[in-house]
Short mmCIF file of all heavy atoms in Angstrom, two decimals:
data_model
loop_
_atom_site.label_atom_id
_atom_site.label_comp_id
_atom_site.label_asym_id
_atom_site.label_seq_id
_atom_site.Cartn_x
_atom_site.Cartn_y
_atom_site.Cartn_z
N LEU A 1 -12.57 18.97 -18.75
CA LEU A 1 -12.35 17.64 -18.17
C LEU A 1 -11.05 17.57 -17.38
O LEU A 1 -10.85 16.65 -16.59
CB LEU A 1 -12.32 16.59 -19.27
CG LEU A 1 -13.65 16.21 -19.93
CD1 LEU A 1 -13.41 15.35 -21.15
CD2 LEU A 1 -14.56 15.50 -18.95
N GLY A 2 -10.14 18.52 -17.62
CA GLY A 2 -8.84 18.50 -16.95
C GLY A 2 -7.75 17.92 -17.80
O GLY A 2 -6.65 17.63 -17.31
N ILE A 3 -8.03 17.71 -19.09
CA ILE A 3 -7.01 17.19 -20.02
C ILE A 3 -6.40 18.38 -20.74
O ILE A 3 -6.86 18.80 -21.82
CB ILE A 3 -7.63 16.19 -21.00
CG1 ILE A 3 -8.28 15.04 -20.24
CG2 ILE A 3 -6.56 15.65 -21.96
CD1 ILE A 3 -8.99 14.03 -21.12
N GLN A 4 -5.38 18.97 -20.13
CA GLN A 4 -4.75 20.17 -20.65
C GLN A 4 -3.37 20.32 -20.00
O GLN A 4 -3.11 19.78 -18.93
CB GLN A 4 -5.60 21.40 -20.32
CG GLN A 4 -5.84 21.58 -18.82
CD GLN A 4 -6.50 22.89 -18.48
OE1 GLN A 4 -6.37 23.87 -19.21
NE2 GLN A 4 -7.23 22.92 -17.37
N PRO A 5 -2.46 21.06 -20.65
CA PRO A 5 -1.12 21.26 -20.06
C PRO A 5 -1.16 22.09 -18.77
O PRO A 5 -0.41 21.82 -17.84
CB PRO A 5 -0.36 22.00 -21.16
CG PRO A 5 -1.12 21.74 -22.42
CD PRO A 5 -2.55 21.61 -22.02
N SER A 6 -2.05 23.08 -18.73
CA SER A 6 -2.12 23.96 -17.56
C SER A 6 -2.50 23.18 -16.31
O SER A 6 -3.47 22.42 -16.31
CB SER A 6 -3.15 25.07 -17.81
OG SER A 6 -3.31 25.88 -16.67
N GLY A 7 -1.72 23.37 -15.26
CA GLY A 7 -2.01 22.71 -13.99
C GLY A 7 -1.42 21.32 -13.85
O GLY A 7 -1.54 20.70 -12.79
N PHE A 8 -0.78 20.82 -14.91
CA PHE A 8 -0.25 19.45 -14.87
C PHE A 8 0.80 19.29 -13.77
O PHE A 8 0.77 18.31 -13.01
CB PHE A 8 0.35 19.07 -16.22
CG PHE A 8 1.17 17.81 -16.18
CD1 PHE A 8 0.56 16.57 -16.04
CD2 PHE A 8 2.55 17.86 -16.25
CE1 PHE A 8 1.32 15.40 -15.99
CE2 PHE A 8 3.32 16.70 -16.20
CZ PHE A 8 2.70 15.49 -16.07
N PHE A 9 1.75 20.22 -13.69
CA PHE A 9 2.84 20.09 -12.72
C PHE A 9 2.30 20.10 -11.29
O PHE A 9 2.72 19.29 -10.47
CB PHE A 9 3.85 21.21 -12.92
CG PHE A 9 5.06 21.10 -12.02
CD1 PHE A 9 6.02 20.13 -12.24
CD2 PHE A 9 5.22 21.97 -10.95
CE1 PHE A 9 7.12 20.01 -11.40
CE2 PHE A 9 6.32 21.86 -10.11
CZ PHE A 9 7.27 20.88 -10.33
N ARG A 10 1.36 21.00 -11.00
CA ARG A 10 0.79 21.04 -9.65
C ARG A 10 0.00 19.76 -9.36
O ARG A 10 0.07 19.19 -8.26
CB ARG A 10 -0.12 22.25 -9.50
CG ARG A 10 0.62 23.57 -9.39
CD ARG A 10 -0.31 24.68 -8.95
NE ARG A 10 -1.42 24.84 -9.89
CZ ARG A 10 -2.66 25.14 -9.54
NH1 ARG A 10 -2.97 25.28 -8.26
NH2 ARG A 10 -3.60 25.29 -10.45
N SER A 11 -0.76 19.30 -10.35
CA SER A 11 -1.52 18.06 -10.18
C SER A 11 -0.60 16.89 -9.88
O SER A 11 -0.86 16.07 -8.99
CB SER A 11 -2.34 17.79 -11.44
OG SER A 11 -2.95 16.53 -11.41
N LEU A 12 0.50 16.82 -10.62
CA LEU A 12 1.46 15.73 -10.42
C LEU A 12 2.13 15.82 -9.05
O LEU A 12 2.24 14.81 -8.33
CB LEU A 12 2.51 15.77 -11.53
CG LEU A 12 3.59 14.68 -11.48
CD1 LEU A 12 2.98 13.31 -11.62
CD2 LEU A 12 4.63 14.92 -12.58
N CYS A 13 2.56 17.02 -8.67
CA CYS A 13 3.25 17.19 -7.38
C CYS A 13 2.35 16.88 -6.21
O CYS A 13 2.73 16.16 -5.28
CB CYS A 13 3.80 18.61 -7.28
SG CYS A 13 5.21 18.94 -8.36
N TYR A 14 1.13 17.43 -6.21
CA TYR A 14 0.19 17.18 -5.11
C TYR A 14 -0.11 15.69 -4.96
O TYR A 14 -0.12 15.15 -3.85
CB TYR A 14 -1.13 17.93 -5.35
CG TYR A 14 -1.03 19.43 -5.25
CD1 TYR A 14 -2.00 20.23 -5.85
CD2 TYR A 14 0.01 20.06 -4.58
CE1 TYR A 14 -1.94 21.61 -5.78
CE2 TYR A 14 0.08 21.44 -4.50
CZ TYR A 14 -0.89 22.21 -5.10
OH TYR A 14 -0.83 23.58 -5.03
N SER A 15 -0.36 15.03 -6.09
CA SER A 15 -0.73 13.62 -6.03
C SER A 15 0.47 12.74 -5.66
O SER A 15 0.31 11.72 -4.98
CB SER A 15 -1.37 13.16 -7.34
OG SER A 15 -0.62 13.57 -8.46
N LEU A 16 1.68 13.14 -6.06
CA LEU A 16 2.87 12.39 -5.66
C LEU A 16 3.11 12.50 -4.16
O LEU A 16 3.49 11.52 -3.51
CB LEU A 16 4.10 12.90 -6.42
CG LEU A 16 4.29 12.37 -7.84
CD1 LEU A 16 5.47 13.08 -8.51
CD2 LEU A 16 4.52 10.86 -7.84
N VAL A 17 2.89 13.68 -3.61
CA VAL A 17 3.02 13.87 -2.15
C VAL A 17 2.03 12.97 -1.42
O VAL A 17 2.37 12.29 -0.44
CB VAL A 17 2.82 15.34 -1.77
CG1 VAL A 17 2.68 15.49 -0.25
CG2 VAL A 17 3.98 16.19 -2.27
N TYR A 18 0.79 12.95 -1.91
CA TYR A 18 -0.22 12.11 -1.27
C TYR A 18 0.14 10.63 -1.40
O TYR A 18 -0.02 9.85 -0.45
CB TYR A 18 -1.59 12.37 -1.89
CG TYR A 18 -2.68 11.54 -1.24
CD1 TYR A 18 -3.09 11.78 0.06
CD2 TYR A 18 -3.28 10.48 -1.93
CE1 TYR A 18 -4.07 11.02 0.66
CE2 TYR A 18 -4.26 9.71 -1.33
CZ TYR A 18 -4.65 9.99 -0.05
OH TYR A 18 -5.63 9.23 0.55
N PHE A 19 0.65 10.24 -2.56
CA PHE A 19 1.07 8.86 -2.78
C PHE A 19 2.16 8.46 -1.79
O PHE A 19 2.11 7.38 -1.19
CB PHE A 19 1.59 8.70 -4.22
CG PHE A 19 2.19 7.36 -4.51
CD1 PHE A 19 1.40 6.24 -4.66
CD2 PHE A 19 3.57 7.21 -4.63
CE1 PHE A 19 1.95 4.99 -4.94
CE2 PHE A 19 4.14 5.97 -4.90
CZ PHE A 19 3.32 4.86 -5.06
N ALA A 20 3.14 9.34 -1.58
CA ALA A 20 4.23 9.05 -0.66
C ALA A 20 3.71 8.92 0.78
O ALA A 20 4.10 8.01 1.52
CB ALA A 20 5.29 10.15 -0.74
N ILE A 21 2.81 9.82 1.17
CA ILE A 21 2.24 9.77 2.52
C ILE A 21 1.41 8.50 2.70
O ILE A 21 1.50 7.79 3.71
CB ILE A 21 1.37 11.02 2.78
CG1 ILE A 21 2.24 12.27 2.81
CG2 ILE A 21 0.58 10.87 4.09
CD1 ILE A 21 1.45 13.56 2.90
N PHE A 22 0.59 8.20 1.70
CA PHE A 22 -0.28 7.03 1.74
C PHE A 22 0.53 5.74 1.87
O PHE A 22 0.25 4.88 2.71
CB PHE A 22 -1.14 7.00 0.48
CG PHE A 22 -2.15 5.89 0.44
CD1 PHE A 22 -3.43 6.07 0.95
CD2 PHE A 22 -1.84 4.66 -0.13
CE1 PHE A 22 -4.36 5.06 0.90
CE2 PHE A 22 -2.76 3.63 -0.18
CZ PHE A 22 -4.03 3.83 0.33
N LYS A 23 1.55 5.60 1.02
CA LYS A 23 2.37 4.39 1.06
C LYS A 23 3.18 4.31 2.34
O LYS A 23 3.31 3.23 2.93
CB LYS A 23 3.30 4.36 -0.16
CG LYS A 23 2.58 4.22 -1.49
CD LYS A 23 1.81 2.92 -1.60
CE LYS A 23 2.73 1.72 -1.65
NZ LYS A 23 1.96 0.45 -1.85
N GLY A 24 3.73 5.44 2.77
CA GLY A 24 4.50 5.45 4.00
C GLY A 24 3.67 5.08 5.21
O GLY A 24 4.10 4.28 6.06
N ALA A 25 2.46 5.63 5.29
CA ALA A 25 1.57 5.31 6.41
C ALA A 25 1.17 3.84 6.38
O ALA A 25 1.07 3.19 7.43
CB ALA A 25 0.32 6.20 6.35
N GLY A 26 0.94 3.31 5.17
CA GLY A 26 0.58 1.90 5.05
C GLY A 26 1.68 0.97 5.51
O GLY A 26 1.43 -0.03 6.19
N ILE A 27 2.91 1.30 5.18
CA ILE A 27 4.06 0.48 5.59
C ILE A 27 4.24 0.55 7.10
O ILE A 27 4.50 -0.46 7.77
CB ILE A 27 5.33 0.93 4.86
CG1 ILE A 27 5.23 0.59 3.38
CG2 ILE A 27 6.57 0.28 5.47
CD1 ILE A 27 6.37 1.13 2.54
N LEU A 28 4.10 1.75 7.67
CA LEU A 28 4.23 1.89 9.13
C LEU A 28 3.14 1.13 9.87
O LEU A 28 3.38 0.55 10.93
CB LEU A 28 4.19 3.38 9.50
CG LEU A 28 5.41 4.22 9.14
CD1 LEU A 28 5.17 5.68 9.48
CD2 LEU A 28 6.66 3.70 9.88
#
């Protein structure tokens, strides 16, 4: 299901980058 320690840091980093891009584009 994806509920495990492995891959957590990459999952968090990728999604944070997307969040920043998404919010930045929305504000612009």
Side-chain angles (χ1 to χ4, degrees):
L1 287 170
I3 302 177
Q4 58 171 333
S6 176
F8 167 72
F9 184 72
R10 287 192 301 143
S11 172
L12 180 62
C13 289
Y14 292 159
S15 48
L16 279 174
V17 169
Y18 181 69
F19 173 74
I21 294 173
F22 184 90
K23 294 297 293 184
I27 291 174
L28 288 176

